[in-house]
Amino acid sequence: MPYITVTALSHTGLQRDHNEDSLVVGPWTLCGTVTENPQTMVFPFGHPLVVAVADGMGGQPAGDVASSLVARRLAAYGPSLDSEDAVRDALALCNHAVYAAADRDPELTMMGTTVAGVVVLEGELLVFNVGDSRVLDVGPADADEANEAEETDEADAVDEVQETAPADEADESLHQVSVDDSPPLAPGRRTTSIVTQALGGAPSFSEITPHVSMSPLSPGKRMVVCTDGLTDPVPEDRIDELLRAHDGGRAVFELWKAAMEAGGPDNITVALVSVAD
């Protein structure tokens, strides 16, 4: 029977004093909490399964409040997210909720958050985002690596893994499937902290236009859902290299370690979603 595994980690990084990222995996949420060891959950196919990250906007108040509010609402809406329209409606409700909370408390004025995630359905995958948190299509794990991962305790994050997937298989290469809400990059720059839309984040209510798409889902599919605490400091080719070499908890650990070795400039939240036979 096919099943879904989700392995996730959330960490403050090296330069922030607290974690403003939040994570939702099905009915479970992780808000402002540090988990240096990847946690794995297993789900059967059936009801829609939502996996998403929300990244509270830095430089503005209460990013952790905004991100946790969105994560908890998505967890509650999860079983009803069975279509593109349902996801758009849920994100619009989250946006209204962020502004409503800010209206009730002056200390929360201007709080906002990005959001990105997937909803796993039987045979289909919904991808959504608002802001610059990302969803990456990883491609299946190399067969030898997947077999090794099944035989190894994923909590042991220090053993070296030697197998890598063939580099010339274009259909297995990493590619971004979310849409960054960011202005064009200045010459010579790879990243920007500016976003053109978010949930909340403005002095008065502003509508959002979520990016939502649907794609086929097949056994072996792997997706990474992450905040820019991973993708800003770690180049895409390095992320691709690590995901070719590793799977499961080891893959998530290595991604986190790469962000930390690159200076850990922001909160880091990563979820690896895998579809298995």
Side-chain angles (χ1 to χ4, degrees):
M1 176 182 294
Y3 60 93
I4 308 151
T5 65
V6 182
T7 302
L9 177 152
S10 187
H11 192 269
T12 308
L14 295 174
Q15 298 184 28
R16 306 289 188 182
D17 59 8
H18 66 290
N19 192 359
E20 293 191 319
D21 287 356
S22 294
L23 169 75
V24 53
V25 180
W28 309 103
T29 58
L30 189 69
C31 303
T33 303
V34 173
T35 56
E36 292 188 3
N37 294 318
Q39 309 294 310
T40 298
M41 289 168 274
V42 180
F43 299 88
F45 276 94
H47 298 295
L49 175 69
V50 59
V51 180
V53 296
D55 182 354
M57 293 174 64
Q60 297 182 195
D64 53 339
V65 177
S67 71
S68 64
L69 187 158
V70 170
R72 292 187 172 107
R73 282 184 172 262
L74 286 177
Y77 298 147
S80 68
L81 301 180
D82 57 359
S83 68
E84 293 183 41
D85 285 343
V87 172
R88 290 189 182 95
D89 290 345
L91 293 173
L93 289 171
C94 288
N95 189 41
H96 278 280
V98 172
Y99 279 107
D103 287 343
R104 291 191 296 269
D105 185 345
E107 293 187 359
L108 304 182
T109 299
M110 293 285 291
M111 74 173 181
T113 182
T114 68
V115 66
V118 298
V119 181
V120 183
L121 307 172
E122 289 194 72
E124 295 177 313
L125 185 78
L126 287 164
V127 176
F128 62 88
N129 79 284
V130 176
D132 60 357
S133 291
R134 292 186 179 180
V135 180
L136 307 174
D137 188 331
V138 180
D142 178 72
D144 292 334
E145 168 62 23
N147 290 337
E148 183 172 338
E150 290 178 0
E151 297 169 0
T152 304
D153 182 357
E154 289 185 347
D156 182 358
V158 295
D159 290 342
E160 290 296 323
V161 179
Q162 300 298 326
E163 298 295 334
T164 58
D168 59 352
E169 295 184 14
D171 60 334
E172 295 187 5
S173 63
L174 180 84
H175 60 280
Q176 181 177 336
V177 290
S178 56
V179 179
D180 286 348
D181 286 313
S182 299
L185 293 173
R189 290 189 61 88
R190 190 177 62 82
T191 64
T192 177
S193 60
I194 301 172
V195 294
T196 54
Q197 68 168 347
L199 305 181
S204 59
F205 179 78
S206 178
E207 296 281 358
I208 56 169
T209 304
H211 306 285
V212 185
S213 62
M214 183 175 285
S215 63
L217 185 68
S218 58
K221 186 82 164 180
R222 294 191 303 161
M223 309 290 291
V224 165
V225 181
C226 63
T227 60
D228 62 359
L230 171 67
T231 53
D232 276 2
V234 184
E236 189 170 290
D237 58 353
R238 178 57 176 158
I239 295 173
D240 189 21
E241 177 187 356
L242 292 170
L243 288 166
R244 288 178 179 277
H246 310 293
D247 196 19
R250 181 61 188 271
V252 171
F253 177 85
E254 292 293 340
L255 291 173
W256 167 77
K257 188 173 74 170
M260 296 290 279
E261 290 175 345
D266 201 353
N267 305 148
I268 307 156
T269 301
V270 183
L272 175 61
V273 183
S274 302
V275 179
D277 288 317

